[in-house]
Amino acid sequence: MSRRKQKREKSYLSSVEGSNRGPFMGMSELGGMWGIEPIGDGWQRNLKIGGFAARGIPAVYACVQASARAISQCYPHHKIHRDDGGTDISKTSPAARVFRKPNSYETFPQFMQNLVSAMLFDGECFCLIVRDERRAVTALHIMPRGTVTPYVSEDGGIFYNIGGNPMLPSTASYMAPQRDVCHFRTYTPRHPLIGESPIKAASLACGINVALSETQAAFFAQMNRPSGILSTDAALNRDQMQTLRAAFDEQSKGWAQGKMPILASGLKFQQLSVNSVDAQLIEAQRMSIEDIARVFGVPLPIVGDLSKATLNNTESLINHWLSLSLGALIENIERSFDDVFGFTGNDFSELDTKALLRLDYSGRIDALTRATQGGLMSPNEARRSEGLPDVDGGDEPFMQAQNTPVSLLAELAAANLKAKEAPPPPPAPEPEPEPEDTPEPEEKAIDLDVTKALLNSIFMDARNA
């Protein structure tokens, strides 16, 4: 785009309020200069938090990197809803290819760690979208801080003034439409296109933390606080005291190398311990760390404070963190990826949070066992989640024989209730007794000799007559 055309476009594009403020500078109590965020509106001006930017405060850095490292472990997927209610994972779509390699110089974990860190440190992160001739996304480039400025046209269109990026071949400034820039942002209290970092809410705690750290460093390093005192029962004049002081200083130079000074003339060395004032300073600094972690929504054990943690509640701690703050940040990033790839309907992107419990082997196996026994997953699905091969007959979920559908239980209960309320049926008539069968006479066997004799007798009688 030519400079004349760019100036003509800027004539009807108004920069977003607060996007081009600053930079401001603050001065600490020790004379150090501290850079104030350009969109922070000078919230640090009355806070003497020393010569450190927010990235230099250990508690802030630990909270930001805890979330960035956790999300960088979550592997991304392009998922598609099926008609039967299940989901499929696409491995050949443009989104799947970008998820595997977002650009030529970063892996996806590196890309996500830089993206989340920019979102939490600065409140927003700008990614330039590169497309091919079919308008499919081929790469995502994180723009350096301060090189992108959002603009709003008179008709409500959103544009971004893109500055130079050392990783891109062209360093010329140009105006890009909203579809070519992915604007990841957190809380936007003053303008929908200006994200605000949680550091602003933790500004007072950051100031206290840095002030206490610098005050203690200056006190111990510059004020020559003695580590102990020398005492003796003998009366010493000024010359003797100066001589003993010089001799002790000469001998104590080797303390750092393990050398031991030898005291004479009844001298005794008494070491000074930490007094109650120093102990209160340490406690105040710990309270400032708790406030910073509370603002970022990070549990204290995640940032290294194990005073109230155990080693047996890893799953509960991660689930609490996901429900408190990390889950919302992951959802924000997922829906922003949906806008990048133009997902609508059944397509969506998802960051797999199971990687956060990768080392909790016993809890993971127990959950898979319960899911398999309860019919929620098939054995092969559980085996695939652990990287194991399929087995024969394991593609179908199993259920125990005593399990009964709720609908059948409802029908049985209704039938029992109906049977109790219905009147008893009339007694059935008694069946008539069946007549006894008379036994048939037994047939006797015929004797041939007797029959012949009888017939001969009858014949002779008839002849005689």
Side-chain angles (χ1 to χ4, degrees):
M1 182 183 299
S2 63
R3 294 183 179 272
R4 180 177 300 176
K5 186 176 180 181
Q6 185 174 346
K7 289 181 180 179
R8 186 168 61 252
E9 286 194 2
K10 285 188 177 181
S11 63
Y12 67 86
L13 295 176
S14 59
S15 62
V16 175
E17 180 184 359
S19 60
N20 55 357
R21 295 183 182 181
F24 303 109
M25 297 297 294
M27 180 176 293
S28 70
E29 59 184 359
L30 301 177
M33 299 300 295
W34 192 79
I36 297 176
E37 303 293 334
I39 64 173
D41 203 19
W43 52 267
Q44 302 97 330
R45 291 178 180 178
N46 295 326
L47 299 176
K48 298 179 179 180
I49 59 178
F52 293 96
R55 290 171 175 80
I57 302 175
V60 174
Y61 187 86
C63 291
V64 171
Q65 291 304 314
S67 299
R69 292 164 184 159
I71 297 179
S72 66
Q73 299 180 62
C74 302
Y75 195 83
H77 296 292
H78 171 199
K79 291 191 173 183
I80 305 172
H81 284 295
R82 297 196 305 264
D83 295 336
D84 58 357
T87 57
D88 293 326
I89 298 177
S90 176
K91 297 182 179 180
T92 59
S93 63
R97 291 192 292 268
V98 172
F99 284 155
R100 286 193 296 268
K101 188 69 175 176
N103 48 60
S104 60
Y105 51 89
E106 283 180 314
T107 62
F108 189 82
Q110 294 171 344
F111 175 82
M112 287 304 303
Q113 185 170 359
N114 292 328
L115 188 150
V116 177
S117 298
M119 288 180 64
L120 296 181
F121 276 130
D122 303 326
E124 55 190 358
C125 179
F126 299 93
C127 286
L128 183 63
I129 302 173
V130 180
R131 304 178 187 271
D132 57 12
E133 61 278 2
R134 297 177 301 172
R135 305 301 298 167
V137 180
T138 59
L140 297 175
H141 298 275
I142 297 178
M143 300 300 294
R145 175 176 171 269
T147 59
V148 181
T149 303
Y151 287 83
V152 180
S153 63
E154 295 179 354
D155 58 355
I158 299 175
F159 297 84
Y160 292 89
N161 185 17
I162 306 298
N165 189 331
M167 303 305 298
L168 295 178
S170 176
T171 59
S173 177
Y174 64 96
M175 196 72 67
Q178 184 183 13
R179 63 176 179 271
D180 291 335
V181 176
C182 184
H183 188 183
F184 297 91
R185 52 193 181 273
T186 57
Y187 178 47
T188 56
R190 65 184 73 200
H191 194 281
L193 296 179
I194 300 179
E196 190 170 276
S197 172
I199 298 175
K200 180 173 182 179
S203 59
L204 184 59
C206 293
I208 294 174
N209 185 278
V210 176
L212 289 175
S213 299
E214 290 196 345
T215 301
Q216 289 179 351
F219 183 79
F220 286 106
Q222 301 177 10
M223 299 185 67
N224 293 329
R225 177 182 178 179
S227 58
I229 59 175
L230 292 174
S231 62
T232 181
D233 297 335
L236 302 176
N237 55 31
R238 182 181 296 273
D239 294 337
Q240 291 175 333
M241 293 175 61
Q242 292 180 354
T243 302
L244 289 175
R245 182 191 298 275
F248 184 80
D249 289 343
E250 182 65 25
Q251 294 189 32
S252 62
K253 289 180 180 179
W255 272 11
Q257 289 79 25
K259 297 181 179 180
M260 179 66 66
I262 299 176
L263 305 180
S265 302
L267 291 176
K268 298 179 182 180
F269 178 76
Q270 182 179 358
Q271 187 175 0
L272 297 179
S273 59
V274 178
N275 55 27
S276 59
V277 176
D278 294 333
Q280 291 179 358
L281 290 177
I282 296 174
E283 183 64 23
Q285 192 171 30
R286 187 177 183 276
M287 291 178 62
S288 67
I289 295 175
E290 292 180 358
D291 286 341
I292 295 173
R294 188 179 298 111
V295 169
F296 279 92
V298 179
L300 286 176
I302 299 295
V303 294
D305 187 355
L306 302 177
S307 59
K308 299 179 181 179
T310 62
L311 299 180
N312 297 325
N313 59 352
T314 303
E315 183 178 3
S316 300
L317 182 63
I318 296 298
N319 290 333
H320 173 70
W321 188 20
L322 283 171
S323 62
L324 183 66
S325 61
L326 192 63
L329 185 58
I330 291 175
E331 186 71 19
N332 185 351
I333 296 173
E334 290 174 345
R335 301 292 75 80
S336 297
F337 277 134
D338 290 349
D339 292 339
V340 170
F341 300 107
F343 288 159
T344 57
N346 294 330
D347 296 78
F348 65 100
S349 59
E350 183 178 273
L351 297 175
D352 192 354
T353 58
K354 290 188 295 185
L356 300 179
L357 297 174
R358 184 182 302 171
L359 298 180
D360 188 13
Y361 183 77
S362 60
R364 191 172 68 252
I365 296 301
D366 182 65
L368 291 175
T369 303
R370 290 173 179 268
T372 305
Q373 293 177 350
L376 183 63
M377 299 176 63
S378 66
N380 283 342
E381 288 176 340
R383 293 175 63 86
R384 292 189 202 107
S385 65
E386 292 298 315
L388 299 175
D390 294 348
V391 295
D392 295 337
D395 291 330
E396 187 176 358
F398 295 150
M399 290 291 292
Q400 297 184 4
Q402 66 269 24
N403 292 340
T404 305
V406 177
S407 58
L408 180 58
L409 292 177
E411 292 178 2
L412 293 176
N416 292 333
L417 181 60
K418 185 177 181 180
K420 292 180 180 180
E421 295 177 353
E430 297 181 358
E432 297 181 357
E434 296 181 358
E436 298 181 356
D437 296 337
T438 57
E440 295 180 357
E442 297 181 358
E443 295 182 356
K444 298 181 178 181
I446 300 175
D447 191 354
L448 294 178
D449 295 336
V450 175
T451 303
K452 287 180 179 181
L454 182 61
L455 290 175
N456 290 330
S457 176
I458 296 173
F459 179 77
M460 290 301 294
D461 292 341
R463 184 176 180 183
N464 292 329

